[in-house]
Amino acid sequence: MKLAVIGTGYVGLVTGTCFAETGNQVTCVDIDERKVEKLNNGIIPIYEPGLDVLFNRNTAEGRLKFTTNLAEGIEGAEVIFLALPTPPGEDGSADLKYILKVADDLGPLLKQYAVIVDKSTVPVGTAEKVWVHISRGAKIDFDVVSNPEFLREGVAVDDFMKPDRVVIGTKSEKAKAVMNKLYAPLVRQGNPVIFMDERSAEMTKYAANAFLAVKISFMNEIANLCEKAGANVDDIRRGIGTDSRIGKRFLFAGIGYGGSCFPKDVQALAKTAQEYEYDFKILKSVMDVNARQKGKLLPMIKAHFDGDLKGKIIAVWGLAFKPYTDDIREAPALENIRALLNEGARVTVYDPEAMDNVRNVLGNQITYAHTSYAALDDADALVIMTEWPLFRTPDFNKMNLLLKNKLIFDGRNVYELDQMKEVGYTYYSIGRETVTPEVAQQA
């Protein structure tokens, strides 16, 4: 099939590349001339494991192309994906200006029947708005379909190529047949393609992300209670995660969620509820809990240093909002680094992928280390913000030679408490007891 993908951000680039991998002819369209030039020169603007292999193969074999020309990009396309940003507006609602602008432009350019697919995360009723905007200039038949993405950054290629499910919102039998044909190679093992109306599909994406945010925030609240009650949140996670009704995933306590989806989508769903005069109390609580949780480490750090961080050198491991990505949108690390700087601390950071993105935001306010160990040199403490695998098994003997103090504030519960007792560190984490060398000796 011939496909067009409008927008070459995270979702658009993964979508276009993966559909090319299944043998389709895909043209990706973006108004950013510099980005398109880089893509045409083989430079991928995002970090996503495995994407480079598929990108290089399909561009080399001519199945994946890039252009800034919308008319050229959609020519002959049976399916046109809209993978455009929907940033939160000042009131928290999703801003549809990019999608509706493209919808206006598409109408006069359509020369044959096409299925227009909302791939972006959009509020309930967006498909209807897109249809209206396209129809103003269209002279041929078309359908607008909602097909939300459920890609997890860091494993997006696997998620796309082996989806748990495919959700498609359409009332059109013609569009349904086209979408069934398109997704057939990806669901050969029997994972479901679930058809529903457009509004339900749009709501499904928000409901999924909001529910996962609820799970994370619930565990963070349990962790906070554990600290007061003397319980261990990791034991509780294992105790409830083996219950098939609950499941093991998204039960890790930490310093809150970030990224491009959860914060924006929870906020947008709350705004939708407000528009329909429904008081969605759980979502309000989730947003409050997450905002509070992001700042959880700073009081611990200040208390340890008797309230004075002026001149202290703090090493930070991890900047991305999660491992296996360079995405720093809404990342807890940024908020914490700014707070540390405001307290007069000096901050040295290391992240395997996200440092260039942070440099674009914070510039020379902080120091960027070339390795995880280099970040520790002469530091008063280590703070862990992202649970990259390489942080899990460090050489503690080497760390001891670099750090001024054997002191770790762990926002992701990377280490086991017994391990910290064994290596003699003062160790603060989330929802667990604080480890000190004195406690270790008594034990």
Side-chain angles (χ1 to χ4, degrees):
M1 297 176 71
K2 190 165 186 180
L3 314 177
V5 178
I6 303 174
T8 59
Y10 183 87
V11 172
L13 189 55
V14 172
T15 297
T17 302
C18 289
F19 272 133
E21 179 68 9
T22 58
N24 298 291
Q25 294 291 323
V26 182
T27 302
C28 296
V29 184
D30 201 292
I31 60 172
D32 188 333
E33 294 182 1
R34 290 183 61 189
K35 182 189 283 189
V36 169
E37 183 180 358
K38 286 182 178 180
L39 288 165
N40 280 324
N41 288 326
I43 301 171
I44 303 175
I46 60 172
Y47 173 74
E48 178 61 38
L51 183 62
D52 55 344
V53 175
L54 303 191
F55 177 92
N56 292 331
R57 175 162 57 234
N58 287 282
T59 52
E61 296 180 6
R63 289 191 297 270
L64 181 62
K65 300 177 181 178
F66 302 90
T67 182
T68 57
N69 188 312
L70 182 60
E72 174 189 315
I74 69 166
E75 187 172 357
E78 298 172 67
V79 183
I80 301 171
F81 286 91
L82 306 184
L84 296 149
T86 53
E90 291 183 7
D91 62 353
S93 61
D95 190 341
L96 298 178
K97 64 183 177 185
Y98 301 110
I99 288 177
L100 297 182
K101 171 64 168 63
V102 168
D104 287 331
D105 294 340
L106 271 177
L109 298 176
L110 294 176
K111 296 179 181 177
Q112 78 245 356
Y113 173 80
V115 177
I116 316 299
V117 181
D118 281 335
K119 199 65 176 167
S120 308
T121 302
V122 294
V124 173
T126 298
E128 296 159 21
K129 292 179 181 178
V130 170
W131 191 91
V132 169
H133 280 253
I134 295 174
S135 65
R136 289 171 181 167
K139 295 181 174 59
I140 51 87
D141 187 27
F142 66 92
D143 280 306
V144 177
V145 165
S146 175
N147 174 216
E149 52 83 17
F150 298 98
L151 304 179
R152 296 168 294 159
E153 293 190 41
V155 287
V157 171
D158 279 348
D159 282 349
F160 198 100
M161 301 301 289
K162 303 171 185 176
D164 290 335
R165 79 292 199 196
V166 177
V167 172
I168 298 174
T170 182
K171 301 184 187 77
S172 164
E173 290 300 320
K174 190 174 182 180
K176 182 177 179 179
V178 171
M179 297 301 287
N180 254 331
K181 178 183 175 184
L182 177 62
Y183 274 104
L186 302 178
V187 293
R188 294 182 65 190
Q189 293 183 340
N191 290 342
V193 178
I194 304 170
F195 285 95
M196 59 186 70
D197 65 88
E198 297 88 341
R199 285 184 166 239
S200 296
E202 291 162 344
M203 182 72 85
T204 296
K205 174 58 188 285
Y206 281 118
N209 279 354
F211 185 77
L212 296 176
V214 169
K215 287 185 76 172
I216 293 169
S217 295
F218 177 81
M219 286 308 295
N220 285 335
E221 288 280 73
I222 290 292
N224 295 338
L225 181 57
C226 283
E227 292 172 6
K228 295 182 178 295
N232 185 316
V233 73
D234 283 345
D235 291 338
I236 294 165
R237 168 178 56 80
R238 288 187 284 265
I240 68 174
T242 48
D243 186 327
S244 60
R245 297 170 300 174
I246 296 172
K248 299 177 181 179
R249 296 169 66 182
F250 292 90
L251 295 180
F252 289 86
I255 50 172
Y257 59 76
S260 62
C261 293
F262 286 4
K264 174 175 68 70
D265 293 353
V266 171
Q267 192 176 28
L269 185 55
K271 178 61 180 175
T272 296
Q274 183 181 332
E275 290 172 357
Y276 286 94
E277 298 182 348
Y278 181 72
D279 186 10
F280 210 142
K281 294 180 180 179
I282 289 178
L283 292 188
K284 293 177 182 177
S285 295
V286 166
M287 290 186 284
D288 289 343
V289 168
N290 198 60
R292 208 166 54 240
Q293 199 73 13
K294 282 186 174 183
K296 184 171 177 61
L297 285 182
L298 186 64
M300 293 183 186
I301 300 170
K302 288 182 67 176
H304 182 89
F305 289 106
D306 297 323
D308 185 10
L309 297 181
K310 290 184 176 62
K312 299 295 182 186
I313 300 173
I314 306 297
V316 172
W317 279 0
L319 300 171
F321 85 94
K322 63 180 285 190
Y324 300 109
T325 182
D326 61 354
D327 195 341
I328 60 170
R329 286 174 286 185
E330 300 284 344
L334 291 184
E335 189 171 317
N336 280 274
I337 288 169
R338 291 189 178 104
L340 289 167
L341 293 173
N342 288 337
E343 293 290 335
R346 293 160 56 193
V347 179
T348 302
V349 304
Y350 175 76
D351 186 285
E353 295 295 338
M355 289 201 291
D356 285 345
N357 289 340
V358 171
R359 190 179 280 109
N360 291 335
V361 175
L362 296 179
N364 60 5
Q365 296 180 65
I366 59 178
T367 301
Y368 303 88
H370 63 283
T371 67
S372 57
Y373 293 111
L376 305 180
D377 193 16
D378 210 30
D380 292 281
L382 166 62
V383 179
I384 300 175
M385 299 285 187
T386 313
E387 64 276 30
W388 283 95
L390 69 91
F391 301 151
R392 293 189 178 276
T393 54
D395 183 339
F396 284 102
N397 290 327
K398 188 172 183 178
M399 292 173 63
N400 297 344
L401 298 174
L402 295 167
L403 284 166
K404 286 181 189 174
N405 309 300
K406 295 169 72 172
L407 174 61
I408 297 175
F409 298 90
D410 186 353
R412 298 298 179 187
N413 289 2
V414 171
Y415 306 122
E416 295 295 332
L417 299 183
D418 287 344
Q419 179 187 19
M420 291 294 97
K421 292 174 183 178
E422 184 179 330
V423 296
Y425 270 68
T426 298
Y427 179 67
Y428 297 85
S429 57
I430 309 297
R432 307 184 296 180
E433 68 173 293
T434 297
V435 173
T436 65
E438 291 77 15
V439 172
Q441 289 167 7
Q442 291 169 8

